[in-house]
Amino acid sequence: MAYRVPFVDPRTHYKNIKTEVDQAILGCLAQGDLVYRQQLHDFEQHLADFVGTKYAIGLNSGYHALYFSLFAAGIKPGDEVITVAHTFVATISAIVHCGATPVLIDVGPDYNMDVDLLEAAITPQTKAVIPVHLNGRVCDMGQVMTVAEKYNLKVIEDAAQSLGATFDGLKAGSIGHTGCFSFYPFKILGGIGDGGALTTNDPEIATIASRLRYNGEDRETGEYHFHGYTALLDNVQAAVLDVKLGYLPKWIEHRRHIAVLYHEGLRDMADLVIPHFNDPVYFDIYQNYVIRTKYSIDLRQHLKDDGIETLVHWIKPVWDHKDLQLENPGLSETESICREVISLPMSAETTPEHVKHTVQSIRQFFIK
Ligand SMILES: Cc1ncc(COP(=O)(O)O)c(C=O)c1O
């Protein structure tokens, strides 16, 4: 079905920057620059500069950034890693694939880790914590870092949804030991397929990640240091991402403007919780604009009937996917969020007209 307000619009997105993207792709093809070439190194340097870290290592997914971060932190079977249940499954799968136990804690009103629960979840087996910066907002990293330092835990930031967001002036992915980014096509910086990156200030972690992604090989010496993975960011992807990175500040401003328009249109609705977090410590980039209501199923259907495409992140708690064999940690906030949230259309192509239709439709629903 063609929506009059699409959730995202990849065709228009491409059309708007077509000349530069085509040049980047064709340049790689014409020069034969397909694997581990200058375009990748340039993108990594520009990404590190943007995030504010010494290193950025281009990978084929955000999942691999998480997994390699855990590997570099020495996480092994028997260890525990604390993270939130309200996240994309990859955060948790990366822990499981290390043979470690994910210890899931609840989130607060901004959908990020309830940091007051962190200390109580620590045991002698706890080795690391993965705060997830969901929807374009950084978790309260002040508190996370204080607790982590007290207990000597590694901090792996899952910043897959928050490139460009800041906490206390520090960019997501620059505060913990590593930052993990995803360039899945519908992320704020989206590739033309899967991609990701790990950011860090630690040269040892950067070296480990660089080797792991290339089957364990040191590219200078040809020595294999690990049984590694084929997990390099493709050179063509890097060339395209480098073009798009130049647009990122503009796209962030656009999303923040769209968020203001939603806020103005929806702020007085009694049965609706909207994200208006007016704390100057946070600079949000609105990967998702998430609203919350007890009537979410009916509202979502009403919006669909009105030609407005929405998504739900996520329809049930991760432990309810029985084949994943995760224990039910009994997290009430995570459970009700799954029943109540809707992500509204939000992208670089979302227009004030789109917001107007969406706001009108939501208001009509609640009048009825
Ligand atoms: C919060 C979060 N963590 C991790 C990931 C994994 O990233 P990727 O899909 O690039 O592996 C995603 C991507 O959807 C995500 O949203």
Side-chain angles (χ1 to χ4, degrees), residues 61-63 66 87-88 90-91 132 134 158 160-161 182 187 195:
S61 69
Y63 165 78
L66 289 159
T87 180
F88 183 54
T91 318
V132 180
L134 210 64
D158 183 337
Q161 298 196 5
S182 168
K187 293 289 193 265

PDB file of all heavy atoms in Angstrom, residues 61-63 66 87-88 90-91 132 134 158 160-161 182 187 195, ligand 1:
ATOM      1  N   SER A  61      28.351  -4.299  10.286  1.00  0.00           N
ATOM      2  CA  SER A  61      27.082  -4.132  11.006  1.00  0.00           C
ATOM      3  C   SER A  61      27.318  -3.553  12.394  1.00  0.00           C
ATOM      4  O   SER A  61      28.437  -3.617  12.927  1.00  0.00           O
ATOM      5  CB  SER A  61      26.366  -5.483  11.160  1.00  0.00           C
ATOM      6  OG  SER A  61      27.082  -6.300  12.062  1.00  0.00           O
ATOM      7  N   GLY A  62      26.243  -3.053  12.958  1.00  0.00           N
ATOM      8  CA  GLY A  62      26.287  -2.620  14.352  1.00  0.00           C
ATOM      9  C   GLY A  62      26.450  -3.815  15.275  1.00  0.00           C
ATOM     10  O   GLY A  62      27.096  -3.725  16.314  1.00  0.00           O
ATOM     11  N   TYR A  63      25.854  -4.933  14.869  1.00  0.00           N
ATOM     12  CA  TYR A  63      26.015  -6.157  15.672  1.00  0.00           C
ATOM     13  C   TYR A  63      27.499  -6.469  15.871  1.00  0.00           C
ATOM     14  O   TYR A  63      27.944  -6.767  16.984  1.00  0.00           O
ATOM     15  CB  TYR A  63      25.312  -7.355  15.005  1.00  0.00           C
ATOM     16  CG  TYR A  63      25.788  -8.636  15.635  1.00  0.00           C
ATOM     17  CD1 TYR A  63      25.289  -9.030  16.868  1.00  0.00           C
ATOM     18  CD2 TYR A  63      26.816  -9.386  15.049  1.00  0.00           C
ATOM     19  CE1 TYR A  63      25.789 -10.159  17.503  1.00  0.00           C
ATOM     20  CE2 TYR A  63      27.319 -10.507  15.682  1.00  0.00           C
ATOM     21  CZ  TYR A  63      26.805 -10.889  16.907  1.00  0.00           C
ATOM     22  OH  TYR A  63      27.319 -11.987  17.538  1.00  0.00           O
ATOM     23  N   LEU A  66      29.218  -4.376  18.411  1.00  0.00           N
ATOM     24  CA  LEU A  66      28.912  -4.825  19.776  1.00  0.00           C
ATOM     25  C   LEU A  66      29.718  -6.074  20.126  1.00  0.00           C
ATOM     26  O   LEU A  66      30.346  -6.156  21.184  1.00  0.00           O
ATOM     27  CB  LEU A  66      27.412  -5.134  19.897  1.00  0.00           C
ATOM     28  CG  LEU A  66      26.482  -3.927  19.878  1.00  0.00           C
ATOM     29  CD1 LEU A  66      25.069  -4.339  19.496  1.00  0.00           C
ATOM     30  CD2 LEU A  66      26.483  -3.236  21.234  1.00  0.00           C
ATOM     31  N   THR A  87      15.510  -3.050  23.828  1.00  0.00           N
ATOM     32  CA  THR A  87      16.505  -2.731  22.814  1.00  0.00           C
ATOM     33  C   THR A  87      16.310  -3.682  21.648  1.00  0.00           C
ATOM     34  O   THR A  87      15.557  -4.658  21.733  1.00  0.00           O
ATOM     35  CB  THR A  87      17.941  -2.873  23.365  1.00  0.00           C
ATOM     36  OG1 THR A  87      18.879  -2.541  22.322  1.00  0.00           O
ATOM     37  CG2 THR A  87      18.243  -4.289  23.858  1.00  0.00           C
ATOM     38  N   PHE A  88      17.014  -3.398  20.562  1.00  0.00           N
ATOM     39  CA  PHE A  88      17.007  -4.345  19.448  1.00  0.00           C
ATOM     40  C   PHE A  88      17.735  -5.617  19.896  1.00  0.00           C
ATOM     41  O   PHE A  88      18.722  -5.548  20.630  1.00  0.00           O
ATOM     42  CB  PHE A  88      17.692  -3.719  18.233  1.00  0.00           C
ATOM     43  CG  PHE A  88      17.669  -4.581  17.007  1.00  0.00           C
ATOM     44  CD1 PHE A  88      16.479  -5.084  16.518  1.00  0.00           C
ATOM     45  CD2 PHE A  88      18.839  -4.890  16.339  1.00  0.00           C
ATOM     46  CE1 PHE A  88      16.448  -5.884  15.390  1.00  0.00           C
ATOM     47  CE2 PHE A  88      18.822  -5.682  15.202  1.00  0.00           C
ATOM     48  CZ  PHE A  88      17.624  -6.180  14.732  1.00  0.00           C
ATOM     49  N   ALA A  90      19.861  -7.489  18.760  1.00  0.00           N
ATOM     50  CA  ALA A  90      21.300  -7.644  18.494  1.00  0.00           C
ATOM     51  C   ALA A  90      22.149  -7.288  19.712  1.00  0.00           C
ATOM     52  O   ALA A  90      23.215  -7.878  19.918  1.00  0.00           O
ATOM     53  CB  ALA A  90      21.706  -6.768  17.304  1.00  0.00           C
ATOM     54  N   THR A  91      21.695  -6.332  20.511  1.00  0.00           N
ATOM     55  CA  THR A  91      22.459  -5.955  21.720  1.00  0.00           C
ATOM     56  C   THR A  91      22.625  -7.181  22.605  1.00  0.00           C
ATOM     57  O   THR A  91      23.711  -7.450  23.140  1.00  0.00           O
ATOM     58  CB  THR A  91      21.682  -4.881  22.530  1.00  0.00           C
ATOM     59  OG1 THR A  91      21.117  -3.919  21.644  1.00  0.00           O
ATOM     60  CG2 THR A  91      22.575  -4.212  23.542  1.00  0.00           C
ATOM     61  N   VAL A 132      22.191   1.485  26.198  1.00  0.00           N
ATOM     62  CA  VAL A 132      21.692   1.640  24.817  1.00  0.00           C
ATOM     63  C   VAL A 132      21.104   3.047  24.696  1.00  0.00           C
ATOM     64  O   VAL A 132      20.264   3.435  25.507  1.00  0.00           O
ATOM     65  CB  VAL A 132      20.613   0.590  24.504  1.00  0.00           C
ATOM     66  CG1 VAL A 132      20.105   0.756  23.075  1.00  0.00           C
ATOM     67  CG2 VAL A 132      21.156  -0.814  24.717  1.00  0.00           C
ATOM     68  N   LEU A 134      18.704   4.845  22.990  1.00  0.00           N
ATOM     69  CA  LEU A 134      17.598   4.502  22.098  1.00  0.00           C
ATOM     70  C   LEU A 134      16.922   5.732  21.499  1.00  0.00           C
ATOM     71  O   LEU A 134      16.847   6.782  22.149  1.00  0.00           O
ATOM     72  CB  LEU A 134      16.565   3.678  22.886  1.00  0.00           C
ATOM     73  CG  LEU A 134      15.765   2.677  22.077  1.00  0.00           C
ATOM     74  CD1 LEU A 134      16.669   1.599  21.493  1.00  0.00           C
ATOM     75  CD2 LEU A 134      14.699   2.026  22.934  1.00  0.00           C
ATOM     76  N   ASP A 158      25.909   1.207  23.135  1.00  0.00           N
ATOM     77  CA  ASP A 158      25.151   0.860  21.937  1.00  0.00           C
ATOM     78  C   ASP A 158      24.541   2.164  21.419  1.00  0.00           C
ATOM     79  O   ASP A 158      23.488   2.611  21.881  1.00  0.00           O
ATOM     80  CB  ASP A 158      24.067  -0.173  22.250  1.00  0.00           C
ATOM     81  CG  ASP A 158      23.322  -0.604  20.985  1.00  0.00           C
ATOM     82  OD1 ASP A 158      23.333   0.173  20.004  1.00  0.00           O
ATOM     83  OD2 ASP A 158      22.724  -1.695  20.986  1.00  0.00           O
ATOM     84  N   ALA A 160      23.790   2.697  18.238  1.00  0.00           N
ATOM     85  CA  ALA A 160      23.275   2.395  16.890  1.00  0.00           C
ATOM     86  C   ALA A 160      22.192   3.381  16.462  1.00  0.00           C
ATOM     87  O   ALA A 160      22.039   3.663  15.275  1.00  0.00           O
ATOM     88  CB  ALA A 160      22.743   0.967  16.848  1.00  0.00           C
ATOM     89  N   GLN A 161      21.440   3.915  17.426  1.00  0.00           N
ATOM     90  CA  GLN A 161      20.335   4.824  17.083  1.00  0.00           C
ATOM     91  C   GLN A 161      20.661   6.277  17.420  1.00  0.00           C
ATOM     92  O   GLN A 161      19.749   7.108  17.406  1.00  0.00           O
ATOM     93  CB  GLN A 161      19.068   4.388  17.841  1.00  0.00           C
ATOM     94  CG  GLN A 161      18.583   3.002  17.475  1.00  0.00           C
ATOM     95  CD  GLN A 161      17.153   2.735  17.916  1.00  0.00           C
ATOM     96  OE1 GLN A 161      16.467   3.613  18.428  1.00  0.00           O
ATOM     97  NE2 GLN A 161      16.690   1.520  17.705  1.00  0.00           N
ATOM     98  N   SER A 182      25.375   1.677  13.875  1.00  0.00           N
ATOM     99  CA  SER A 182      24.789   0.912  12.774  1.00  0.00           C
ATOM    100  C   SER A 182      24.495   1.867  11.619  1.00  0.00           C
ATOM    101  O   SER A 182      23.983   2.965  11.838  1.00  0.00           O
ATOM    102  CB  SER A 182      23.480   0.268  13.230  1.00  0.00           C
ATOM    103  OG  SER A 182      22.768  -0.237  12.109  1.00  0.00           O
ATOM    104  N   LYS A 187      18.791   4.076   9.361  1.00  0.00           N
ATOM    105  CA  LYS A 187      19.364   4.845  10.469  1.00  0.00           C
ATOM    106  C   LYS A 187      19.620   6.280   9.994  1.00  0.00           C
ATOM    107  O   LYS A 187      19.621   6.559   8.785  1.00  0.00           O
ATOM    108  CB  LYS A 187      20.683   4.210  10.915  1.00  0.00           C
ATOM    109  CG  LYS A 187      20.513   2.833  11.541  1.00  0.00           C
ATOM    110  CD  LYS A 187      19.867   2.928  12.910  1.00  0.00           C
ATOM    111  CE  LYS A 187      19.951   1.654  13.708  1.00  0.00           C
ATOM    112  NZ  LYS A 187      18.771   0.785  13.594  1.00  0.00           N
ATOM    113  N   GLY A 195      25.807  -1.956   7.460  1.00  0.00           N
ATOM    114  CA  GLY A 195      27.127  -1.437   7.793  1.00  0.00           C
ATOM    115  C   GLY A 195      27.150  -1.011   9.241  1.00  0.00           C
ATOM    116  O   GLY A 195      26.091  -0.882   9.875  1.00  0.00           O
TER     117      GLY A 195
HETATM  118  C1  LIG B   1      19.726  -0.328  19.395  1.00  0.00           C
HETATM  119  C2  LIG B   1      20.358  -1.146  18.313  1.00  0.00           C
HETATM  120  N1  LIG B   1      21.398  -1.935  18.615  1.00  0.00           N
HETATM  121  C3  LIG B   1      22.012  -2.675  17.678  1.00  0.00           C
HETATM  122  C4  LIG B   1      21.612  -2.665  16.369  1.00  0.00           C
HETATM  123  C5  LIG B   1      22.283  -3.570  15.393  1.00  0.00           C
HETATM  124  O1  LIG B   1      22.760  -2.925  14.264  1.00  0.00           O
HETATM  125  P1  LIG B   1      22.849  -3.709  12.854  1.00  0.00           P
HETATM  126  O2  LIG B   1      21.465  -3.932  12.375  1.00  0.00           O
HETATM  127  O3  LIG B   1      23.638  -2.792  11.986  1.00  0.00           O
HETATM  128  O4  LIG B   1      23.579  -4.986  13.128  1.00  0.00           O
HETATM  129  C6  LIG B   1      20.534  -1.838  15.995  1.00  0.00           C
HETATM  130  C7  LIG B   1      20.077  -1.773  14.589  1.00  0.00           C
HETATM  131  O5  LIG B   1      18.962  -1.909  14.230  1.00  0.00           O
HETATM  132  C8  LIG B   1      19.882  -1.078  16.994  1.00  0.00           C
HETATM  133  O6  LIG B   1      18.828  -0.292  16.703  1.00  0.00           O
END
